[in-house]
Amino acid sequence: MSITSAPEGSGVPAAPAPTNAVAEAIAATEHAPTAPREPDAEELLTRQEIEAIQLTRLKATVSHAYDNISAYRDLYDAHGVKPSDLQTLEDLAKFPLTDKEFLRNAYPFKSFAVPMDQVRRIHASSGTTGKPTVVGYTEGDISRWASLLARCLRFSGVQPGDIVHNAYGYGLFTGGLGAHYGIEKLGCTVIPMSGGQTEKQIQLIQDFMPRVILCTPTYLLALADAFRSKGLDPRATSLEIGVLGAEPWTEEMRREIETAWGITACDIYGLSEVMGPGVAGESSERKDGSTIWEDQFRPEIIDPMTEKVLPTGHHGELVFTTLTKEALPVIRYRTHDLTRLAPGTDRPGHRRMGRITGRSDDMIILRGVNLFPTQIEEIALGIEGLSPHFQLELTRPDSMDQMTVHIERRPEMSREEAESAGAELGRQIKVKVGSSCQVRVAEPETLARSSGKLRRIYDRRPR
Ligand code: DLL
């Protein structure tokens, strides 16, 4: 008996069972599962087929949210739109955007579209300020998430039977458990290592001999340093593949990591509000950017200032609508991630995303010039003698904003060589970014490392 129905014969009318249009739309559109080594049927759909599925699932998602979440109902009523206004994919643009604030206002569980007894798991994104954003999953959500993660891993070259060292953090962060279920679903052996405990990571990588590692790109570099400082060669480990994400990284960083470890490094993208890791994943054969799984998510790129939708290929802010989420449907959710969409390649029905150049809230405005840490990473890694370990410090001496780049020299470079590389970094930042800054070359292993997302910006300007 459902908890919403009254006992039989009690004379009390039964409460209406909550509607779940999304579950019905999934049942009507899903394809039969394939063997673990084979691509999912949905991966191979044409663009036309994808768009047909998107429309069915989108209509269901908008109705599901409107019927079951008062925040959506209030928002849409205030904007004078209703689910029946959605007749084509383009109609989505009529609906208002949502953001972290929208979800925070529903703290903790008011953003859930299903009764609490159907919510099997909670995660929360680490808000740097204020309350965290809480996300919830039904059993079906968890199962589809695991399948998507398995899809990403397979796409990045992981195979059933592989041993996978999972160093994404376990707990409220979606990285650890999200990846964990996908690794198992693909038929691999998971080492649930979580983040931190670098000594232990080194030992287990040597003893358990995983073929695959999952963690943030900056942590994989920190691990390489830790191997070397013990006199061990990271290239000599059993690792062959890294599936890396949760923070912005550049092509230069990919080369750095691949050389340091002798592995293939692929991207994996996602965010808690939309699901967690696995929203998009990268082909190990092409390494041409992450493919967004458009049978499950409808992406848009908007101009962050005007909020207008931009055509495929234009650079702007990534916005997502979930198509199969039951517990926490999100509609036109602003990620603040800046990138562009590109046509599909290996999976032609699904578009790819460019690298995230930065987050709009991570943009540094320095004396009128906009810049992102990824630009500094790209330039620094092109200069011999400088390591990928850097921090950006912002200060305001004499009422003028100033940026200091603290960057470690490579251990094999002398102090003098590194100082001239530092001067070269300052010159190139001036030319390529258009902003002058100070560069301070630090000694190896002196700047902070992180076992998860690395903080690059230290803003010490008075508020
Ligand atoms: O970082 C989920 C995740 C875990 C993705 C493990 C990949 C691997 P959040 O903590 O909610 O979720 O942070 C989401 O991280 O909006 C981006 O700004 C950034 N991000 C995630 N993946 C990438 C990536 C997880 N591959 C936020 N490249 C997102 C660049 C990324 N930025």
Side-chain angles (χ1 to χ4, degrees):
M1 188 181 69
S2 135
I3 58 157
T4 52
S5 52
E8 253 173 64
S10 66
V12 181
T19 58
N20 190 338
V22 167
E24 286 163 27
I26 296 167
T29 50
E30 78 186 339
H31 289 63
T34 51
R37 285 173 196 274
E38 300 298 317
D40 299 339
E42 283 87 350
E43 278 179 71
L44 304 177
L45 298 179
T46 63
R47 185 72 205 155
Q48 211 179 1
E49 289 165 331
I50 289 279
E51 291 194 346
I53 284 194
Q54 284 188 336
L55 186 58
T56 306
R57 293 180 170 183
L58 197 54
K59 284 179 176 176
T61 296
V62 172
S63 298
H64 183 51
Y66 188 85
D67 291 346
N68 298 302
I69 307 172
S70 60
Y72 275 103
R73 203 160 43 245
D74 294 347
L75 182 69
Y76 292 171
D77 288 350
H79 274 76
V81 283
K82 43 192 187 318
S84 59
D85 292 336
L86 203 143
Q87 293 304 324
T88 67
L89 288 174
E90 287 64 42
D91 289 338
L92 184 59
K94 295 179 185 162
F95 290 77
L97 296 159
T98 56
D99 57 11
K100 222 180 183 60
E101 201 50 39
F102 178 80
L103 291 183
R104 270 207 194 116
N105 290 339
Y107 182 86
F109 302 146
K110 289 196 288 289
S111 54
F112 294 172
V114 296
M116 216 44 207
D117 69 337
Q118 289 179 27
V119 176
R120 286 289 162 279
R121 198 195 297 166
I122 303 284
H123 281 286
S125 84
S126 48
T128 38
T129 52
K131 291 179 185 144
T133 315
V134 180
V135 295
Y137 305 79
T138 63
E139 212 168 299
D141 290 333
I142 291 174
S143 160
R144 278 182 294 278
W145 183 14
S147 298
L148 272 189
L149 219 306
R151 191 192 281 187
C152 290
L153 295 175
R154 193 183 340 93
F155 203 39
S156 298
V158 185
Q159 292 167 4
D162 283 342
I163 299 178
V164 182
H165 183 98
N166 184 16
Y168 286 121
Y170 279 64
L172 286 173
F173 177 52
T174 52
L177 280 168
H180 182 105
Y181 275 60
I183 298 164
E184 289 184 346
K185 186 103 175 195
L186 185 59
C188 301
T189 306
V190 59
I191 304 170
M193 178 60 218
S194 193
Q197 291 187 277
T198 300
E199 291 284 312
K200 185 80 159 227
Q201 307 255 7
I202 294 175
Q203 185 196 339
L204 296 194
I205 290 171
Q206 288 184 293
D207 296 348
F208 293 176
M209 300 184 65
R211 181 171 173 252
V212 183
I213 186 162
L214 272 51
C215 61
T216 57
T218 53
Y219 187 55
L220 196 49
L221 277 185
L223 258 183
D225 288 346
F227 261 78
R228 286 193 215 99
S229 68
K230 287 179 127 9
L232 301 166
D233 178 5
R235 297 182 62 88
T237 69
S238 54
L239 291 173
E240 292 177 22
I241 296 174
V243 184
L244 316 175
E247 63 185 5
W249 56 309
T250 57
E251 282 305 312
E252 287 71 14
M253 186 73 135
R254 183 190 330 248
R255 273 196 291 280
E256 178 82 22
I257 290 170
E258 290 189 332
T259 310
W261 285 94
I263 61 170
T264 296
C266 288
D267 186 50
I268 184 163
Y269 170 86
L271 64 162
S272 329
E273 296 84 346
V274 171
M275 186 179 77
V279 172
E282 192 173 35
S283 151
S284 54
E285 277 162 29
R286 292 190 186 248
K287 292 199 266 184
D288 60 352
S290 277
T291 293
I292 299 173
W293 304 119
E294 288 208 56
D295 52 318
Q296 313 271 337
F297 311 100
R298 169 81 183 172
E300 297 171 274
I301 294 285
I302 61 162
D303 177 326
M305 304 307 286
T306 65
E307 301 186 349
K308 285 238 152 40
V309 178
L310 300 174
T312 295
H314 285 236
H315 192 261
E317 181 180 337
L318 190 54
V319 167
F320 276 109
T321 300
T322 61
L323 301 174
T324 55
K325 290 258 306 284
E326 296 177 291
L328 184 91
V330 296
I331 302 171
R332 303 204 78 210
Y333 185 78
R334 293 185 70 156
T335 63
H336 290 292
D337 291 329
L338 301 171
T339 184
R340 55 168 54 88
L341 295 178
T345 47
D346 245 17
R347 299 288 182 267
H350 306 256
R351 283 172 288 179
R352 287 168 303 136
M353 54 192 272
R355 282 217 178 261
I356 305 286
T357 50
R359 291 181 51 83
S360 52
D361 40 14
D362 246 9
M363 185 173 79
I364 298 168
I365 305 179
L366 193 66
R367 299 189 293 272
V369 176
N370 301 347
L371 78 95
F372 291 101
T374 50
Q375 289 172 286
I376 309 296
E377 181 177 299
E378 204 173 300
I379 299 172
L381 286 179
I383 301 173
E384 214 184 329
L386 297 179
S387 80
H389 304 293
F390 69 91
Q391 289 172 359
L392 307 177
E393 184 187 22
L394 301 170
T395 50
R396 189 173 288 154
D398 307 321
S399 310
M400 276 286 277
D401 282 353
Q402 182 169 304
M403 182 174 80
T404 307
V405 182
H406 299 271
I407 186 159
E408 288 180 12
R409 69 175 169 87
R410 290 194 191 265
E412 62 274 19
M413 288 287 168
S414 70
R415 183 83 219 168
E416 293 68 42
E417 285 168 323
E419 285 296 347
S420 78
E424 178 58 20
L425 176 62
R427 262 193 301 281
Q428 289 198 24
I429 292 173
K430 174 92 185 118
V431 173
K432 293 181 181 164
V433 182
S435 195
S436 45
C437 65
Q438 291 196 336
V439 177
R440 296 241 187 285
V441 177
E443 286 301 290
E445 307 269 349
T446 53
L447 297 180
R449 303 287 195 270
S450 162
S451 62
K453 294 172 193 279
L454 182 70
R455 179 172 166 202
R456 291 279 194 205
I457 301 172
Y458 290 78
D459 192 345
R460 306 195 203 285
R461 291 175 292 189
R463 292 280 148 213

